[in-house]
Amino acid sequence: MGEVVLPRRMFLWCMAVIYLTAFVSLYVQIPGLYGNEGLLPARWQLRYSGKPLVEQLLSSPTLLWLGPRLGLDTHTAMELLCLIGAALSLAATLVEAFRDSVVFFCLWVLYLSMYEVGQVFLYFQWDNLLLETGFLCILVAPLTLIRGSRGVREHDRVTFWLTRWLLFRLMFASGVVKLTSRCPTWWGLTALTYHYETQCIPTPLAWFAHQLPVCWQKLSVVGAFVIEIAVPFLFFSPLRRLRLGAFYLQVLLQVFIILSGNYNFFNLLTVTLCLSLLDDRHVYFWLRKAYKTDNGNDGMKLHCTAAAQAMFHSKLWSWLCYLLELVVWALLIVGTIICFDLQLDTAKKGISSRTAFTYHQFNLFLKTVTIPCIWIGVLSLTWEMVTSLFRCACVSGFFKRFWGTVQWTVFAGAAASMFAVSLVPFTFIEYDSNSRLWPGVRQAYEMVDRYQVVNSYGLFRRMTGVGGRPEVVIEGSSDGVTWTEIEFMYKPGNLSAPPPVLTPHQPRLDWQMWFAALGPNTQSPWFTSLMYRLLQGKRDVVELIQSDVSQYPFHQQPPAYLRAHRYRYWFTESKADGSFPERWWRRVYDEEFYPIVHLGNSFLEGMLNQYGLKDKSPPRRLSNTTVAQAVRWVRSQVRGVPAHTLIWTLIACSATFCLLQGLRHKNKDAEKPSDAHKATATDRTENAADGSSSDHHEKSDEQQADEEDDKEADSEDEVEEEGEEENEVDDDEEDEDEERIEKR
């Protein structure tokens, strides 16, 4: 696998955004869910017995134990922790320096503190998945505060591999449990004919998906099985294009789920895990940039013959990889056709499908592949460890090599430990494989289980609402004669109200109302608390139903009487002429869910006492510390704002800021080459100037030399001329002497 620097950075940014979403979504709902006058006050979960702080943290690992030491009650402390978590995650979203191991550790501890007192409203699989992924972020993120640098570490690929293993466990288990549950809708491939209208909070597109022909619904189930059970094995393929194909198939499935259902941040978190299947080369392909490697000069270092041989072997290996990839995809297609008996139905102008294997055969398959799955993980992790160790050995400098090896030892040991502990929840899908695990691994799992470091998963195990979507409708009255339905903001109720779009927010009361409708009211003790608080007219609880209190039918005066009925809901069908109906839903009365109650009613009082939902302690005075006043001020600013609007506003502003920041860096990077070009031109000019000046100096030196030579020549000529003149003078004197002698 290639370098994973960019996918790792994308993963950490997405995790910061998801943490921001989770904290803000929970913060808005804290007063109604866990406040002193909420449905399940959080203070009931913490018994202040005067024990030392360490013992309290060991009994229940939550920072809420520090509330009394800060002069805060449990409700205010929860809001404070949520605000700190939202602020840290927002900072990590905006500034890369905050995407640090220490920051992600704080975020994990803060969310775990909420989870410990969250009770039934926080016991969802995506909360467990967020805690497990958040713990992996502690290992994946750089430790800037100690290292002082955000440079690439040689062991990054080892820790980032753990996210790929988590993705494999999530998807494979989610596909397997659908068949091991023996749900007739999954085995009959008809689950999606019920899913779109029976899921907790559908979107408007779910209505249109529900209108698709049955053959297409069955093919969609077949595709889901292939993507969740067969494709995850490609996560560990040594061939890059197979991993990329698996990435796009997983993202395609998650996008379809996001479009048809409101599953808060769960699908976004799954897509974030899918980033572990990418490498830098593919991210550069998205950015339309050339991917640069460090081996660009290798060909120049080879002789011509060796380069030709390397090119030949490279082409041969490329063709072999293409051939192997085609074989894998062909086997996947052929296996799908055989296992689900896909045939072209010309009469219905579609493709017929059915499950062509039995439960016994699938159980035998599961027993056969569970242990090999573990060994595939072992081999893949070992390969990442060995390659990372080789990188450490290739680092120049003894101390850098030694320090890198020490880091590799620590993080490789942590990765191996996480992998070993995760085998326990992974093998829950097959009992025999789980019993064959080493007892020491199970003991280690029991030690860390309460911290949600590793978890078991299995979504949509059984399809509910086959005979119609069960829905609880609460009605209130002031006189016991005229009844008015209390409409929730998100869950189905009003037949004409369109389904909402609220991802990534999770209205936790609406979700629990969906679970409550699946059984009697005794299976949902919190529902009695809901009726009690509505009769009292508690505003915090009313805002869980309608954030705009004026839309609540009893906002001026609480109802004197309450009751609840169960209905069966279905999506309406399109008209014969293809036009859309006036209503989104149709319903039929089913039965009474909760009898008529009022304050002081014997049935209501008995239920409150039975479940311990009546607070007998005296009301506590509000804290007036500076921190408490600041927390209450923030609450006053966001009161009445719909949670999904607040979340999307923060995400949009953060994304815009990051985009502008990226464009600014891009412009800086674009300016650097021009500056370098200018510098090069300047250097060239200076060099030319230097060259011309040197030529001028050289020429002047030559001229000086020539002048000196000329001077020397001239002096020689002058000497010769003087000699000649002297000779001429001597000759004249000799002639004169001769003439004198002749005269004498």
Side-chain angles (χ1 to χ4, degrees):
M1 188 172 182
E3 297 295 336
V4 293
V5 177
L6 294 180
R8 175 172 154 269
R9 293 174 61 185
M10 294 167 59
F11 170 77
L12 294 176
W13 185 86
C14 291
M15 284 302 301
V17 174
I18 292 173
Y19 263 126
L20 174 64
T21 299
F23 278 114
V24 174
S25 175
L26 182 59
Y27 168 77
V28 175
Q29 304 174 76
I30 283 179
L33 296 178
Y34 307 112
N36 297 328
E37 296 179 342
L39 300 181
L40 298 176
R43 71 174 187 271
W44 294 353
Q45 300 298 311
L46 303 177
R47 304 298 179 184
Y48 298 98
S49 57
K51 294 182 179 179
L53 179 61
V54 177
E55 293 186 13
Q56 292 176 335
L57 291 174
L58 291 176
S59 62
S60 179
T62 174
L63 296 179
L64 294 176
W65 292 112
L66 301 175
R69 291 172 170 79
L70 299 175
L72 304 175
D73 60 348
T74 306
H75 169 207
T76 308
M78 283 192 73
E79 291 195 1
L80 177 61
L81 294 184
C82 263
L83 288 175
I84 294 175
L88 280 178
S89 53
L90 180 61
T93 302
L94 300 178
V95 183
E96 187 177 8
F98 280 95
R99 286 166 226 158
D100 183 82
S101 181
V102 176
V103 174
F104 278 108
F105 174 76
C106 294
L107 293 174
W108 178 77
V109 170
L110 290 170
Y111 203 80
L112 180 64
S113 300
M114 302 292 104
Y115 180 86
E116 284 295 316
V117 298
Q119 305 166 74
V120 69
F121 293 107
L122 270 173
Y123 291 169
F124 293 97
Q125 290 197 44
W126 34 85
D127 293 310
N128 297 333
L129 182 62
L130 178 57
L131 284 171
E132 182 171 353
T133 311
F135 187 81
L136 294 182
C137 288
I138 302 173
L139 301 176
V140 174
L143 194 58
T144 310
L145 296 181
I146 295 178
R147 296 177 68 244
S149 171
R150 301 187 61 83
V152 179
R153 303 170 298 179
E154 285 71 23
H155 60 268
D156 284 341
R157 291 173 55 177
V158 177
T159 53
F160 198 47
W161 179 91
L162 292 173
T163 61
R164 204 187 328 164
W165 172 247
L166 173 57
L167 177 65
F168 173 80
R169 291 194 291 117
L170 172 66
M171 301 309 301
F172 186 71
S174 297
V176 165
V177 297
K178 293 178 175 61
L179 296 176
T180 56
S181 65
R182 299 191 180 187
C183 178
T185 60
W186 286 116
W187 280 92
L189 305 181
T190 59
L192 291 184
T193 59
Y194 308 102
H195 166 73
Y196 296 114
E197 66 180 3
T198 61
Q199 60 183 322
C200 180
I201 304 177
T203 64
L205 288 179
W207 186 91
F208 295 93
H210 183 72
Q211 313 301 323
L212 293 174
V214 177
C215 63
W216 286 105
Q217 305 282 21
K218 287 187 172 183
L219 283 178
S220 300
V221 175
V222 172
F225 280 137
V226 172
I227 293 175
E228 291 182 344
I229 298 178
V231 173
F233 287 96
L234 302 181
F235 295 171
F236 307 106
S237 170
L239 300 180
R240 175 175 172 271
R241 281 183 291 267
L242 290 180
R243 293 194 305 272
L244 294 178
F247 166 80
Y248 283 108
L249 288 175
Q250 298 298 325
V251 172
L252 179 66
L253 176 62
Q254 300 305 319
V255 169
F256 283 153
I257 297 176
I258 291 173
L259 293 177
S260 62
N262 292 285
Y263 290 96
N264 49 80
F265 56 82
F266 167 66
N267 303 109
L268 300 178
L269 184 53
T270 306
V271 173
T272 301
L273 290 173
C274 291
L275 295 175
S276 61
L277 303 176
L278 299 178
D279 54 17
D280 286 358
R281 179 180 173 186
H282 198 68
V283 176
Y284 274 108
F285 170 76
W286 286 349
L287 300 175
R288 295 295 187 268
K289 291 183 178 180
Y291 178 63
K292 298 179 181 180
T293 61
D294 295 334
N295 299 325
N297 297 326
D298 288 348
M300 299 179 65
K301 297 179 182 179
L302 298 174
H303 295 289
C304 295
T305 306
Q309 291 178 353
M311 185 178 299
F312 172 76
H313 290 302
S314 177
K315 289 184 177 180
L316 180 61
W317 173 250
S318 178
W319 280 106
L320 289 176
C321 289
Y322 275 118
L323 181 61
L324 184 57
E325 290 163 3
L326 291 176
V327 170
V328 170
W329 293 118
L331 289 175
L332 193 62
I333 295 173
V334 172
T336 302
I337 295 174
I338 295 174
C339 291
F340 295 100
D341 194 19
L342 300 181
Q343 295 181 2
L344 185 62
D345 190 349
T346 56
K348 297 182 179 180
K349 297 181 180 180
I351 299 177
S352 63
S353 57
R354 67 178 184 86
T355 306
F357 52 89
T358 63
Y359 175 80
H360 175 72
Q361 291 174 332
F362 180 76
N363 198 27
L364 184 62
F365 160 79
L366 193 59
K367 290 182 178 180
T368 305
V369 302
T370 302
I371 297 299
C373 285
I374 296 175
W375 283 110
I376 290 175
V378 170
L379 293 176
S380 180
L381 179 58
T382 303
W383 172 257
E384 296 293 346
M385 288 183 176
V386 171
T387 54
S388 298
L389 181 60
F390 180 75
R391 288 167 176 253
C392 292
C394 294
V395 174
S396 59
F398 173 77
F399 290 105
K400 289 184 178 180
R401 190 183 309 116
F402 175 76
W403 179 237
T405 306
V406 171
Q407 290 185 356
W408 176 89
T409 304
V410 173
F411 285 93
S417 301
M418 288 290 297
F419 173 75
V421 174
S422 69
L423 297 180
V424 177
F426 171 67
T427 53
F428 284 162
I429 59 178
E430 208 283 304
Y431 176 77
D432 292 339
S433 300
N434 182 267
S435 61
R436 294 167 59 184
L437 291 178
W438 183 45
V441 175
R442 281 197 288 270
Q443 293 176 0
Y445 170 74
E446 293 173 358
M447 293 175 60
V448 301
D449 182 32
R450 64 182 309 170
Y451 302 105
Q452 308 304 315
V453 174
V454 290
N455 300 278
S456 60
Y457 303 99
L459 299 170
F460 306 109
R461 187 184 302 267
R462 298 186 66 87
M463 191 55 57
T464 59
V466 175
R469 173 197 181 95
E471 200 66 58
V472 174
V473 176
I474 301 176
E475 299 176 347
S477 174
S478 299
D479 54 8
V481 178
T482 305
W483 295 89
T484 304
E485 291 188 8
I486 297 178
E487 184 179 350
F488 281 65
M489 191 162 40
Y490 301 116
K491 84 177 190 68
N494 187 350
L495 301 180
S496 301
V501 177
L502 52 103
T503 300
H505 170 58
Q506 182 187 1
R508 296 183 180 269
L509 177 59
D510 295 63
W511 268 84
Q512 286 300 329
M513 288 291 291
W514 180 77
F515 282 105
L518 301 177
N521 65 75
T522 54
Q523 293 183 0
S524 304
W526 59 266
F527 190 84
T528 298
S529 180
L530 173 63
M531 303 290 279
Y532 180 59
R533 297 301 187 189
L534 291 179
L535 288 171
Q536 291 179 322
K538 299 302 181 182
R539 180 187 173 112
D540 292 337
V541 176
V542 171
E543 289 183 346
L544 294 176
I545 298 175
Q546 288 289 344
S547 59
D548 184 3
V549 180
S550 61
Q551 301 295 324
Y552 182 67
F554 300 97
H555 64 278
Q556 295 181 347
Q557 183 179 0
Y561 302 92
L562 284 178
R563 68 183 184 185
H565 293 296
R566 190 187 345 248
Y567 288 83
R568 296 283 175 176
Y569 277 66
W570 294 270
F571 271 141
T572 54
E573 304 293 336
S574 57
K575 296 181 180 180
D577 58 355
S579 60
F580 300 139
E582 298 178 356
R583 295 183 173 181
W584 292 83
W585 300 94
R586 62 184 179 89
R587 73 180 185 183
V588 173
Y589 178 80
D590 190 7
E591 61 181 349
E592 181 184 71
F593 182 79
Y594 207 87
I596 299 176
V597 293
H598 57 83
L599 290 177
N601 180 270
S602 59
F603 176 80
L604 179 62
E605 293 292 329
M607 296 290 284
L608 290 173
N609 293 328
Q610 178 181 350
Y611 299 123
L613 297 172
K614 200 166 186 180
D615 194 0
K616 299 180 181 179
S617 59
R620 302 180 181 182
R621 284 187 289 178
L622 292 176
S623 175
N624 290 323
T625 62
T626 305
V627 176
Q629 292 177 0
V631 171
R632 286 196 291 270
W633 179 83
V634 175
R635 170 62 60 184
S636 66
Q637 300 303 308
V638 301
R639 184 179 291 274
V641 180
H644 61 282
T645 303
L646 180 61
I647 292 172
W648 274 113
T649 301
L650 290 174
I651 293 178
C653 294
S654 302
T656 303
F657 178 83
C658 294
L659 181 61
L660 294 176
Q661 206 173 28
L663 292 176
R664 184 167 61 87
H665 288 313
K666 184 178 180 180
N667 292 334
K668 284 186 177 180
D669 294 338
E671 290 174 359
K672 287 180 180 179
S674 60
D675 294 342
H677 178 71
K678 291 179 181 178
T680 305
T682 304
D683 293 340
R684 290 177 179 175
T685 306
E686 292 177 354
N687 292 335
D690 293 340
S692 62
S693 62
S694 63
D695 293 341
H696 175 72
H697 289 309
E698 289 177 358
K699 289 180 179 179
S700 61
D701 293 340
E702 292 176 355
Q703 290 175 357
Q704 290 178 359
D706 294 338
E707 291 176 356
E708 291 178 355
D709 294 338
D710 293 338
K711 288 180 180 179
E712 292 178 356
D714 293 340
S715 61
E716 291 177 355
D717 294 337
E718 291 176 354
V719 171
E720 291 178 356
E721 290 176 356
E722 290 176 355
E724 291 177 354
E725 291 177 354
E726 290 176 355
N727 294 333
E728 291 177 354
V729 170
D730 294 338
D731 293 339
D732 293 339
E733 290 178 351
E734 289 178 355
D735 293 337
E736 290 177 357
D737 292 338
E738 289 178 356
E739 289 177 357
R740 288 173 183 175
I741 293 170
E742 289 177 356
K743 288 179 178 180
R744 286 176 182 179

